[in-house]
Amino acid sequence: MKGTNLGEFEELVLLTIATFVSDAYSVAICDELEKSSGRSAKLGVVHAVLNRLEEKGLVKSALGEATSTRGGKRKRFYTVTNGGKAALLKAKEVRDGLWSRIPAFALK
Amino acid sequence: MTKHPPRWAERLLEWYCKPELLEDLQGDLNEFFDRNVKAKGVRRARFIYVLDVLKFCRLYTIRKPDSITLLLHWIMIGSYIKTSGRSMLRNKLFSSINIVGLAISMSVGLIMIGVLVDISSYDKFHEKHDRIYRVISQRQHLGQDDGNFNATTSRRSARAIQETFAGIDDVAVLHRGFEGDMKVGEKVLPLTGFYANEGVLRVFSFPLLKGNPATALKAPFSVVLTELTARKLFGDDEPIGKTVIMNQDKAYTVTGVMKDVPKFSHMKFDMLGSMSTRDIAETASKNEWSWDNVWSTWVYLELPEQADLNAVQSRLNTLSRKEDPSTPNTHIQLALQPLDNIMTGENLNNQIGTILGSTLLWVFAGLSFVVILSACFNYTNLSVARSLRRSREVGIRKVIGALKHHVAMQFVMEAVIISVLSGVVAFVLFLLLRPYFINLQPDLQQLLVLEPSPFLVGCFFVFSIVVGLAAGIFPALFFSRINAIQVLKNATSVRLFRKVTLRKVLIVFQYSVSLMLITGTLIIFKEYKHFVSFDLGFSTANIINIRLQGNSAERLKKELRELPEVTDMAEAWLVTGIGHYAGEQVRNPHQPEDSALVYFNRVDEHYIPFLNLELLAGRNFMTRPDSSEEREVIVNQQVLKRFQLAEQNPQRAIGEVLHMAGKELKIIGVIKDFRYGKPGNNTPNEVMLRHAVKDAGMLHVKIAGGDNAATYARIESLWKKIDPVHTFSAKFYDDTIKESFSGISASVKLAGFVSLLAICIASMGLLGMVVFTTETRLKEISIRKVLGAGEGKLMFLLGRGFFMLLAIATFIAIPSTYLFCDAVLLKRMANPAPLGVGEGLVGVLSVMAIALVMIGSQTLKVARSNPAEVLKNE
């Protein structure tokens, strides 16, 4: 299947969702991304990525309770699926494997 | 200030976004909006909100078209067509009014589209048309410019651009004046063309069929002929390398044959002569290379792709600064005009060919727009007026399950069907009107084809659909809002159209415009008739004016004397009374510092008796040898008055001497004043007649009345014997006078057509209003009838209001038209016919008669209706 591979930004978003455990929603993800990576994350871009991740089956989403903020609109909370976890682990493995093969002096 | 995101942006989001994504997106945007309100202020937050809504419009957020709705529309189209057809057949009067009204106004729109298509296809055949620019110039003397830019510039600037400008691919230079009789062997053809440099064949796409394009226009005395010209001159012989003699003087070698100039070229010619010819032939002329001689050369630049126009312009400005000192007190401003803009652009002076110009295009576009708009308005008006009948149908549709947009769709469909039908009628009208429109003015004849090509027909089709949509959108919205329950319970309880005042105002407006147009047309027509039959002071009946075109007058006269129909002949240099002028500065014999422009005509000794000019004193010219010097002149009374000669006594003025252009001419006769110029022009009327020794150029022939056409044909066949080269150019004097007022007659025709349209449209608007009012008052009328009111009374009751409206329209239109004509139109003309009451009266009566028929027929129908029928339905 196309797209089990993670893009760089997709990986960042997926990791961010994982850090939130259960209350990850678009605006919070945006803010967290900006804080942790230091680069500005546009809402439109994040939405597109979330949509793609859901299509790939790496995250699942559910609407929360209605609140008085946000003009009475409900939030959509994202959680990482098992497939998502596997994809993250696989990406980490690939990186760790490559890191371990770099001779010590090369990046000193 | 509201702390709310813009409503329309929210709606836009709701409209395009998938329902499952919508809530989340809205929430996110709201959260960001609140944040931005705090951080950046409301205004900025709203702006960001709008931006974000637009940014969210991506492939994955956009809602897929609802296939069920589409399917339903598709299935229902058949039903819509069926019901529309039925309702059209049921109301034949309304349908035909709608179709005819739309068709008439659409035919104007079709002509407009045809003109636009024609005009915009000009010069597109040049491969590099988007890279070619024309250098235009404006001459400013002592800081004052003389109006418009000229399409021409100086040869000097052309040379400077060619030699010193960097970043220009090529330069094409054309110069006027390469024209005359071209002779090959015994064959002579009068041809027109331009001097052209070698660049002309490179810049423009005028492909050569024979000859080498690189060298064809290089050597002096080379000529490139068009295919048609070459065939006329040489038949099937090989033209290349042959010699043609121009004006029995200079010999040119044919170096190329090019494809004929396409119809849609802004420059038209039979041949091109090499520009280098001028360098040899015109060496004596010191004007040729002067900086301010900006009247005769057209310069076209071919710029590289993505050229910087500002850079070229600044180089042109530098050139002006450098060259200006060579001509004292004069500044020549140069500018660039794109080739694609020549046909549609400003009306420059000195065009290379005829152009339509943007002013006329805008006027015409505006006129068509107004006409079409009012026709659309009438459609709306009439369909809403019929809503009483249709509202039940809509109610039932809604009960069965039609949604708002289904109903709207139905009514839009209906309007489109009607407008497409009107489009077909309009197309037939277009085909009928086409020749009249093209022949309205000689210029249009040259410019336009209005060929009904498939592309044009496609444009027409799209146009009729657009008109249908525009006309149908309002009724569609109106009907789709109808409340089903209310309408089914009691149809009359629905307040259908509240804005009755607005409709009244519109009717007054429409009628005022129609009245103004028709009265204006009648007034202009009266002036036209007045000028055409103006007493010029000489007789013009049964006179044919023949242009001699270089032939000997004696020879022609000898032949013509053989014809029994020819009663008299006289020669003249120009035809008077039609707006041709020639003048000479004449010094006042008694006050040397005073001089005045005196118009003149060169005539022979038969001229004065021929035109029945009255000789007050002195004698006519007498035949004199060809070589003798000009010594004598005959003046009119105005000259005596202007120079205060002999206390204006004709007898004593004989023998006075006038000085002009180094000549001294003795007054030998004084004639009564006659009209030299055009009666409508405000020109002075001091005229002198000078003696033409030989071949004045124009032969007046008086013929005995009877079959004028046959006589004309006989003279023409005589002409062909004498001069087989030039076509016979002769016209009856009266026709020439009419032609000189062709501008007025063209505007009479155009204004007449437009007023007809305006009246049609206004009448339909009125009819709709009358029907609407009478139908809503049907019950009231019936009750009145039951109580004993007579038909006449009822008609008066119903029609009273409308006649009030028409009276108001008359009181607005008639005085303002008279004031306008008096203050503007007639002020510009000399010797106008005075304004009469007749025109206004005829205009009002004709418009009123139509309105009366309309109101009368409808009110009579209602007044005659059987009250029992109407009232039993309660």
Side-chain angles (χ1 to χ4, degrees):
Chain A
M1 187 178 103
K2 169 215 152 200
T4 36
N5 287 327
L6 278 178
E8 191 257 354
F9 192 66
E10 285 176 346
E11 189 180 347
L12 276 182
V13 173
L14 200 53
L15 281 169
T16 315
I17 297 173
T19 57
F20 274 108
V21 187
S22 66
D23 49 358
Y25 78 104
S26 45
V27 177
I29 296 168
C30 262
D31 294 345
E32 185 60 30
L33 270 175
E34 265 178 45
K35 231 192 305 170
S36 57
S37 70
R39 66 188 193 191
S40 77
K42 287 273 179 297
L43 190 60
V45 182
V46 172
H47 256 282
V49 168
L50 286 173
N51 191 59
R52 218 177 310 142
L53 286 175
E54 197 166 4
E55 267 176 28
K56 288 180 185 175
L58 302 181
V59 295
K60 59 177 192 258
S61 69
L63 285 172
E65 296 288 309
T67 54
S68 60
T69 53
R70 290 166 62 89
K73 305 290 177 195
R74 291 173 290 178
K75 294 175 187 168
R76 183 175 288 275
F77 290 106
Y78 290 87
T79 44
V80 182
T81 60
N82 285 334
K85 274 179 204 155
L88 276 177
L89 286 173
K90 193 181 160 212
K92 188 174 186 308
E93 257 170 45
V94 172
R95 278 162 208 236
D96 287 347
L98 285 170
W99 271 109
S100 63
R101 274 159 50 202
I102 299 173
F105 56 84
L107 281 171
K108 276 277 157 65
Chain B
M1 203 161 180
T2 53
K3 286 186 181 174
H4 207 268
R7 267 309 284 164
W8 66 269
E10 287 184 330
R11 274 205 210 122
L12 180 70
L13 186 71
E14 274 169 41
W15 176 70
Y16 76 69
C17 188
K18 276 185 193 162
E20 62 267 29
L21 292 179
L22 180 64
E23 187 168 0
D24 186 34
L25 280 185
Q26 279 175 329
D28 286 356
L29 286 176
N30 284 343
E31 198 168 338
F32 266 96
F33 180 76
D34 287 343
R35 245 188 239 182
N36 284 335
V37 167
K38 277 178 202 127
K40 296 170 182 167
V42 180
R43 189 179 294 242
R44 184 115 184 92
R46 286 164 72 92
F47 178 68
I48 293 174
Y49 188 93
V50 172
L51 271 190
D52 279 340
V53 165
L54 294 179
K55 274 194 208 158
F56 264 127
C57 187
R58 291 164 186 236
L59 213 54
Y60 76 95
T61 55
I62 292 177
R63 157 211 313 260
K64 303 280 173 295
D66 192 348
S67 53
I68 298 287
T69 323
L70 272 187
L71 192 68
L72 272 182
H73 273 306
W74 185 245
I75 293 170
M76 290 304 286
I77 278 179
S79 154
Y80 297 156
I81 292 176
K82 204 182 278 171
T83 38
S84 303
R86 281 175 188 162
S87 103
M88 275 162 62
L89 285 179
R90 197 166 51 227
N91 300 293
K92 291 195 186 66
L93 175 72
F94 277 116
S95 320
S96 45
I97 286 174
N98 270 334
I99 291 176
V100 171
L102 276 175
I104 291 174
S105 55
M106 271 165 79
S107 64
V108 181
L110 294 194
I111 290 177
M112 181 65 213
I113 292 175
V115 171
L116 281 180
V117 168
D118 271 9
I119 290 299
S120 63
S121 48
Y122 260 85
D123 295 316
K124 293 291 186 290
F125 67 92
H126 295 300
E127 271 165 41
K128 297 174 254 186
H129 64 88
D130 50 344
R131 296 201 273 137
I132 302 174
Y133 290 82
R134 178 161 77 177
V135 181
I136 57 179
S137 68
Q138 188 183 41
R139 185 169 177 273
Q140 297 167 357
H141 188 69
L142 292 169
Q144 278 194 322
D145 60 69
D146 47 3
N148 270 337
F149 268 89
N150 300 298
T152 46
T153 178
S154 57
R155 256 198 99 180
R156 192 188 180 97
S157 63
R159 184 173 63 183
I161 292 169
Q162 242 169 329
E163 285 170 1
T164 62
F165 275 36
I168 283 172
D169 282 359
D170 215 331
V171 181
V173 186
L174 292 138
H175 193 287
R176 74 162 98 236
F178 186 68
E179 53 203 17
D181 292 346
M182 294 301 252
K183 190 170 170 212
V184 176
E186 286 305 299
K187 231 181 256 173
V188 183
L189 265 186
L191 297 174
T192 59
F194 303 104
Y195 293 99
N197 75 343
E198 300 144 65
V200 169
L201 293 179
R202 291 191 300 261
V203 172
F204 298 113
S205 302
F206 292 130
L208 286 196
L209 299 171
K210 287 172 186 161
N212 181 358
T215 57
L217 287 171
K218 192 161 193 165
F221 297 104
S222 311
V223 62
V224 171
L225 305 173
T226 62
E227 204 183 349
L228 188 72
T229 315
R231 196 163 331 112
K232 274 191 203 155
L233 277 177
F234 296 98
D236 293 329
D237 297 348
E238 172 65 41
I240 301 286
K242 295 265 169 58
T243 306
V244 283
I245 315 282
M246 181 190 255
N247 291 338
Q248 298 160 356
D249 180 21
K250 296 187 179 98
Y252 287 82
T253 313
V254 179
T255 50
V257 175
M258 55 173 269
K259 256 173 92 171
D260 285 333
V261 182
K263 172 88 183 175
F264 288 136
S265 168
H266 77 282
M267 53 172 112
K268 295 189 173 88
F269 49 84
D270 303 320
M271 56 183 183
L272 294 173
S274 55
M275 190 65 116
S276 48
T277 314
R278 286 192 72 82
D279 301 338
I280 295 170
E282 309 288 331
T283 37
S285 160
K286 60 176 190 254
N287 245 338
E288 181 78 9
W289 292 103
S290 67
W291 172 242
D292 63 344
N293 179 16
V294 291
W295 318 115
S296 302
T297 315
W298 295 274
V299 178
Y300 296 83
L301 308 181
E302 180 193 330
L303 301 183
E305 272 168 59
Q306 277 125 31
D308 182 6
L309 290 182
N310 290 333
V312 180
Q313 181 62 51
S314 70
R315 252 176 258 141
L316 287 175
N317 293 345
T318 319
L319 178 68
S320 289
R321 271 199 297 280
K322 200 181 118 208
E323 294 285 356
D324 275 345
S326 72
T327 50
N329 296 330
T330 306
H331 166 63
I332 306 288
Q333 178 65 43
L334 300 175
L336 290 177
Q337 181 189 30
L339 182 72
D340 291 340
N341 192 10
I342 287 178
M343 258 301 150
T344 50
E346 266 182 90
N347 304 324
L348 306 182
N349 297 326
N350 268 338
Q351 288 287 1
I352 197 166
T354 33
I355 69 152
L356 194 65
S358 51
T359 332
L360 204 61
L361 221 53
W362 278 116
V363 168
F364 194 52
L367 212 66
S368 335
F369 185 69
V370 169
V371 167
I372 291 168
L373 202 69
S374 31
C376 285
F377 174 78
N378 273 350
Y379 178 88
T380 307
N381 207 350
L382 286 182
S383 1
V384 176
R386 275 157 64 206
S387 58
L388 266 183
R389 296 194 176 168
R390 296 299 294 274
S391 55
R392 277 223 176 98
E393 173 196 332
V394 173
I396 288 171
R397 270 182 191 278
K398 283 200 161 179
V399 167
I400 291 173
L403 296 176
K404 253 187 185 177
H405 62 263
H406 293 128
V407 176
M409 181 77 184
Q410 182 200 347
F411 282 90
V412 168
M413 265 306 278
E414 199 170 311
V416 170
I417 289 173
I418 284 193
S419 75
V420 169
L421 283 178
S422 316
V424 175
V425 180
F427 184 65
V428 176
L429 278 178
F430 166 78
L431 292 180
L432 292 177
L433 286 175
R434 193 170 75 110
Y436 294 103
F437 182 75
I438 290 181
N439 291 330
L440 212 54
Q441 269 270 302
D443 282 358
L444 293 180
Q445 225 165 350
Q446 273 197 14
L447 284 174
L448 304 174
V449 197
L450 299 182
E451 189 73 50
S453 62
F455 175 70
L456 200 60
V457 174
C459 285
F460 289 176
F461 187 68
V462 173
F463 171 70
S464 50
I465 288 179
V466 170
V467 169
L469 292 177
I473 196 80
F474 187 75
L477 288 178
F478 173 79
F479 281 111
S480 65
R481 283 202 193 121
I482 282 181
N483 185 334
I485 299 170
Q486 216 179 354
V487 117
L488 289 178
K489 207 169 93 191
N490 187 0
T492 44
S493 70
V494 186
R495 289 291 295 147
L496 286 165
F497 212 151
R498 288 200 187 79
K499 288 173 183 155
V500 177
T501 337
L502 182 71
R503 299 173 81 195
K504 279 183 183 162
V505 170
L506 266 155
I507 283 190
V508 169
F509 172 75
Q510 281 181 328
Y511 268 88
S512 306
V513 171
S514 324
L515 280 170
M516 283 178 198
L517 280 168
I518 194 166
T519 319
T521 311
L522 288 170
I523 289 175
I524 303 173
F525 183 64
K526 188 182 176 189
E527 294 300 327
Y528 173 69
K529 275 208 319 216
H530 164 74
F531 282 130
V532 163
S533 57
F534 198 85
D535 180 18
L536 295 167
F538 52 87
S539 62
T540 56
N542 289 334
I543 295 178
I544 300 180
N545 303 331
I546 304 174
R547 269 181 59 215
L548 288 170
Q549 305 182 63
N551 288 294
S552 151
E554 275 316 312
R555 216 179 129 204
L556 187 65
K557 272 158 107 174
K558 210 180 117 212
E559 295 279 344
L560 286 172
R561 271 189 210 109
E562 306 290 317
L563 290 179
E565 295 93 337
V566 173
T567 56
D568 201 1
M569 282 178 280
E571 285 179 63
W573 182 54
L574 50 75
V575 180
T576 49
I578 58 165
H580 291 180
Y581 299 90
E584 191 92 73
Q585 284 292 332
V586 176
R587 213 165 350 128
N588 188 334
H590 301 302
Q591 286 171 290
E593 65 277 15
D594 177 34
S595 72
L597 185 77
V598 177
Y599 293 121
F600 69 87
N601 193 3
R602 291 181 189 280
V603 299
D604 70 352
E605 57 276 8
H606 305 293
Y607 188 79
I608 292 180
F610 181 87
L611 285 184
N612 292 331
L613 296 175
E614 195 182 329
L615 202 56
L616 296 173
R619 60 170 176 84
N620 196 350
F621 297 115
M622 280 186 288
T623 332
R624 60 186 169 113
D626 290 355
S627 54
S628 67
E629 217 181 311
E630 185 185 11
R631 287 231 173 77
E632 300 171 334
V633 67
I634 296 176
V635 297
N636 70 352
Q637 291 164 290
Q638 289 286 328
V639 177
L640 303 188
K641 193 176 161 197
R642 171 67 184 82
F643 292 131
Q644 290 299 317
L645 291 178
E647 287 142 3
Q648 300 186 43
N649 181 339
Q651 302 293 343
R652 285 170 46 204
I654 307 293
E656 295 266 8
V657 176
L658 297 178
H659 296 253
M660 71 196 83
K663 281 182 178 166
E664 294 181 5
L665 302 183
K666 196 173 78 176
I667 297 176
I668 58 160
V670 177
I671 50 171
K672 213 177 146 196
D673 288 337
F674 69 101
R675 200 141 280 280
Y676 176 90
K678 211 159 119 176
N681 288 4
N682 256 326
T683 42
N685 209 19
E686 288 94 29
V687 181
M688 54 187 175
L689 298 177
R690 297 166 70 173
H691 198 196
V693 184
K694 201 182 142 195
D695 292 347
M698 183 67 76
L699 186 66
H700 295 293
V701 179
K702 193 177 281 174
I703 56 171
D707 191 356
N708 284 350
T711 314
Y712 184 90
R714 220 160 293 149
I715 296 177
E716 185 170 8
S717 62
L718 266 182
W719 171 273
K720 279 199 185 120
K721 256 198 291 177
I722 292 168
D723 184 352
V725 177
H726 299 96
T727 42
F728 184 53
S729 165
K731 271 173 196 145
F732 279 94
Y733 211 135
D734 290 338
D735 292 345
T736 319
I737 292 174
K738 273 183 199 153
E739 263 168 45
S740 71
F741 290 102
S742 71
I744 303 190
S745 72
S747 40
V748 167
K749 284 182 205 159
L750 203 65
F753 181 65
V754 173
S755 25
L756 194 72
L757 284 186
I759 291 174
C760 279
I761 290 167
S763 308
M764 285 168 201
L766 179 71
L767 186 64
M769 183 75 170
V770 173
V771 170
F772 169 72
T773 322
T774 45
E775 279 196 6
T776 47
R777 292 176 76 179
L778 202 54
K779 258 178 204 154
E780 177 199 332
I781 299 296
S782 304
I783 292 171
R784 280 178 192 274
K785 230 178 156 180
V786 170
L787 293 178
E791 274 177 20
K793 280 250 171 70
L794 288 175
M795 280 178 72
F796 175 72
L797 177 81
L798 285 168
R800 191 176 51 188
F802 296 111
F803 277 101
M804 277 306 291
L805 295 183
L806 294 186
I808 294 173
T810 310
F811 279 114
I812 295 174
I814 300 298
S816 57
T817 315
Y818 271 70
L819 278 177
F820 174 80
C821 285
D822 199 41
V824 181
L825 214 60
L826 301 192
K827 277 273 152 56
R828 290 191 184 177
M829 297 186 211
N831 316 305
L835 288 173
V837 221
E839 285 68 40
L841 212 60
V842 171
V844 172
L845 285 182
S846 53
V847 170
M848 285 299 172
I850 300 172
L852 189 70
V853 170
M854 219 103 59
I855 298 172
S857 64
Q858 287 304 312
T859 49
L860 189 67
K861 206 172 106 191
V862 174
R864 281 217 174 137
S865 61
N866 184 352
E869 290 276 321
V870 178
L871 292 175
K872 86 175 175 204
N873 280 338
E874 190 60 6

